[in-house]
Amino acid sequence: MSDNTNVTRKPEAPASEMALLPPVDVIEDAGGITLYADLPGVPKDKLTLQVEGDTLTIEGEISLAAPEGMESSHAEVNLPRYRRAFTLSKELDANKVSAEFNQGVLKLRIPKAEHAQPRRIEIAVM
Amino acid sequence: MLYRSVFPRDLLSELDRLQREMQQSYEFSPSIRGLARGGFPAINVGNTPHSIEIYAFAPGIDPATIDVQLEKGVLTIAGERASVMPPKEANATVHIDERFSGRFRRVVTLPDDADPNAVSAKYRDGVLHVSVQRRQAAQPRRISIE
């Protein structure tokens, strides 16, 4: 958008960049947030996790072992890629995200920053 | 639930899909086993001259607990996926709950030339890949003209 000579509308993302939206579970407890995402068919080296500013992006390329000359006759997973982005809130510590990826399920743990940990507030009786 | 896809796409392609599915349900008599699409696991099917390849997208399941059966030309994939939801008494909040959990079963009708004695199944990266060979006799043969 920095190029202001470009007055035409931003072109649609090319078909090769279209992606499926992976289903997720997001659970929050006192210590932080746990996110699970289903990314079946993505090998470990084709998974990309990125935190940029306060945006967390999960992206994965599907790689299936298909025999030579296979023609698809029915496809419910009909794009070769998953992508999903989340906006993190500032009490989460994006530098301490830990990730596990096992049999197509990504598990992310995003802890809350030290200062945002729950504290019991004493009530002073006057 | 009927029209919910496991992997939704953007709105335009969703509308496109809805239109296609509505057309299909009006134009053809639906299969006796219900809608061909939707449900868990998502399934892709491919064909080669020698085999039928079925891919079931079932991540996070112990392969030993997946039940794959082939009976009278119908392939059944069944199993169960455990929930990751915290117990009620835990002090946790569920913000998004989209992933499938519980028992699942999906069936695929195989073509007549599928050989029930030549089936192999592999589980990798959360995808179950079942490969069913076609019978030799059914493979196309070039007939020479004398």
Side-chain angles (χ1 to χ4, degrees), chain A residues 18 21 23-28 36 38 40-41 43 65-67 70-78 82 84 103-105, chain B residues 7-9 36-37 42-47 53 55 59-60 81 84 92-93 95-99 106 125-127 129:
Chain A
M18 280 170 62
L21 203 62
V24 299
D25 286 347
V26 176
I27 301 153
E28 178 168 9
Y36 297 86
D38 280 353
M70 188 181 85
E71 280 177 35
S72 175
S73 60
H74 173 88
E76 291 168 7
V77 176
N78 46 13
Y82 303 102
R84 193 153 179 181
Q103 300 289 29
V105 177
Chain B
F7 301 107
R9 299 168 69 171
R37 279 170 183 274
I43 284 179
N44 282 11
V45 182
N47 289 290
E53 310 289 334
Y55 298 88
R81 189 157 90 147
V84 296
T93 314
H95 295 297
I96 308 177
D97 175 10
E98 296 169 346
R99 294 169 66 245
R106 281 205 75 179
D125 299 328
V127 177
H129 176 192

Side-chain angles (χ1 to χ4, degrees), chain A residues 8-73:
Chain A
T8 51
R9 220 163 56 89
K10 200 177 138 201
E12 295 275 314
S16 63
E17 286 304 309
M18 280 170 62
L20 299 166
L21 203 62
V24 299
D25 286 347
V26 176
I27 301 153
E28 178 168 9
D29 57 43
I33 279 184
T34 310
L35 180 148
Y36 297 86
D38 280 353
L39 303 153
V42 178
K44 211 169 201 156
D45 57 320
K46 295 275 180 72
L47 174 73
T48 318
L49 295 171
Q50 202 181 342
V51 180
E52 203 183 327
D54 59 354
T55 305
L56 165 74
T57 308
I58 300 167
E59 196 168 353
E61 297 264 344
I62 301 174
S63 161
L64 295 178
E68 214 176 302
M70 188 181 85
E71 280 177 35
S72 175
S73 60

Side-chain angles (χ1 to χ4, degrees), chain B residues 55-71:
Chain B
Y55 298 88
F57 294 77
I61 298 170
D62 176 5
T65 67
I66 306 176
D67 183 25
V68 182
Q69 288 196 23
L70 181 55
E71 202 188 339

